[in-house]
Amino acid sequence: MTQYDPHAHIRIVLVETSHSGNIGAAARAMKNMGLSNLYLVNPASFPDEASYARSSGASEILDRATVVDTLDEAIADCALVMGTSARGRKVPWPVIPPTDCAERAAEQAGNGEVALVFGRENSGLSNEELQRCHYHIHIPSNPDYSSLNLAMAVQVICYEVRMHHLKRLDAQGEETALRPVLQPGDEGWDIKAASVNDVEGFFGHLEDVLVDIDFHRRENPRQLMTRLRRLFQRAHLDQMEINILRGILTAVQKSAGGADRRPEAEQEQE
Ligand code: SAH
């Protein structure tokens, strides 16, 4: 599929990461969510064993990572820069949640490069660095304990970027993991969907049985059949399921001493 992929124009920038394991874990989080451009600003140690160990199968993202000395170098060619922050700063800045960040990133990624910037484990991004950003992104964590592990913050943001992308594909009619699983009537389902006639036959049979066993009174129906209809309609039954259910109803009738109400043809198949 030669579809336009906004992920190619979105980069993750990690500023002065002190634990190289976090770089590896961030690379893994990125690959899981379909992102691959990693920029490292003056990392304490990279490349090294800890980063590769934590990256699991995402080592190619580390191999291809761009290492630079300053944040300015990492974002020089970007049209949109968003910096993440665990807490509010002195000078208010436009702060957006991760979902909005993903939306803006996807919009902009059609026209220019987008940087999502993450700070140091112990002190985050400096005010000067945050002022390089168009928006600040805050993951709405527990206000009493707001700071996530760096790689986990990367994971949350990358997840939102992916969700936004999948929702967009889904809206365009593409098949994505957001689509509900197959159901009767869809191509690929093993049994044909039950027809309205089949389902109505089942509901009639069900009501008869419920009367036979004194669970349901036609003179005082309340909402029983309505609710049972809604329940079974939600399941979108297929023909085999209808046959099984009707078989069960017939067995209940037999053991309750009632009549077999299945169509003659079905009874003869036994
Ligand atoms: N002690 C630092 C937090 C560092 S956490 C501080 O108070 O700023 C390391 C990085 O993870 C942060 O710089 C930010 O990029 C990201 N991060 C952690 N928690 C976050 C949150 N709640 N919202 C957005 N980014 C967060």
Side-chain angles (χ1 to χ4, degrees):
M1 193 170 39
T2 53
Q3 195 167 28
Y4 166 69
D5 183 1
H7 294 159
H9 300 279
I10 298 175
R11 73 186 60 169
I12 298 295
V13 180
L14 305 184
V15 178
E16 297 199 335
T17 309
S18 40
H19 298 289
S20 54
N22 279 333
I23 298 177
R28 180 179 188 174
M30 288 170 62
K31 186 169 177 183
N32 283 144
M33 299 299 131
L35 288 158
S36 57
N37 302 325
L38 177 62
Y39 281 65
L40 302 172
V41 178
N42 192 26
S45 165
F46 184 82
D48 65 7
E49 211 178 308
S51 55
Y52 277 89
R54 290 283 300 282
S55 75
S56 207
S59 53
E60 79 274 12
I61 292 186
L62 298 179
D63 294 341
R64 290 185 42 227
T66 307
V67 181
V68 292
D69 289 330
T70 63
L71 175 61
D72 284 340
E73 288 173 76
I75 61 176
D77 59 332
C78 291
L80 176 64
V81 180
M82 294 188 270
T84 49
S85 177
R87 59 199 159 96
R89 302 289 163 141
K90 274 197 198 110
V91 181
W93 215 258
V95 180
I96 56 175
T99 41
D100 289 16
C101 152
E103 194 181 327
R104 280 163 216 257
E107 274 166 14
Q108 185 63 52
N111 306 316
E113 301 301 300
V114 177
L116 304 176
V117 186
F118 294 81
R120 300 154 188 83
E121 290 91 332
N122 54 2
S123 59
L125 292 168
S126 69
N127 287 334
E128 202 181 56
E129 287 159 346
L130 280 166
Q131 286 166 20
R132 291 279 191 285
C133 303
H134 297 96
Y135 295 100
H136 294 170
I137 310 160
H138 177 66
I139 298 166
S141 45
N142 174 1
D144 298 330
Y145 191 66
S146 65
S147 173
L148 277 74
N149 162 267
L150 170 61
M152 297 199 183
V154 172
Q155 180 77 78
V156 170
I157 300 299
C158 292
Y159 172 76
E160 292 294 348
V161 168
R162 182 165 184 79
M163 281 302 283
H164 181 85
H165 181 55
L166 293 182
K167 280 185 193 158
R168 195 179 258 200
L169 292 181
D170 189 55
Q172 290 166 1
E174 297 278 333
E175 237 178 75
T176 71
L178 301 181
R179 284 268 147 137
V181 283
L182 280 180
Q183 56 173 346
D186 290 347
E187 199 183 322
W189 192 259
D190 55 345
I191 308 285
K192 278 194 176 164
S195 67
V196 169
N197 243 356
D198 292 341
V199 179
E200 286 307 314
F202 161 66
F203 284 139
H205 195 171
L206 178 63
E207 186 167 7
D208 289 345
V209 172
L210 295 177
V211 169
D212 289 351
I213 62 173
D214 287 332
F215 187 81
H216 178 47
R217 290 185 216 302
R218 286 192 218 274
E219 63 284 5
N220 181 21
R222 284 173 292 181
Q223 298 293 319
L224 180 67
M225 289 315 295
T226 308
R227 291 190 184 285
L228 287 174
R229 264 178 184 275
R230 188 171 70 176
L231 167 67
F232 284 107
Q233 296 289 25
R234 284 211 302 277
H236 198 176
L237 298 165
D238 69 29
Q239 291 176 354
M240 174 89 77
E241 290 159 347
I242 288 278
N243 289 343
I244 293 169
L245 288 169
R246 294 205 60 171
I248 293 171
L249 292 177
T250 301
V252 170
Q253 278 176 314
K254 274 190 185 156
S255 77
D260 186 341
R261 291 174 189 273
R262 282 178 305 158
E264 297 280 310
E266 272 179 45
Q267 294 182 35
E268 278 162 17
Q269 282 168 15
E270 281 181 345

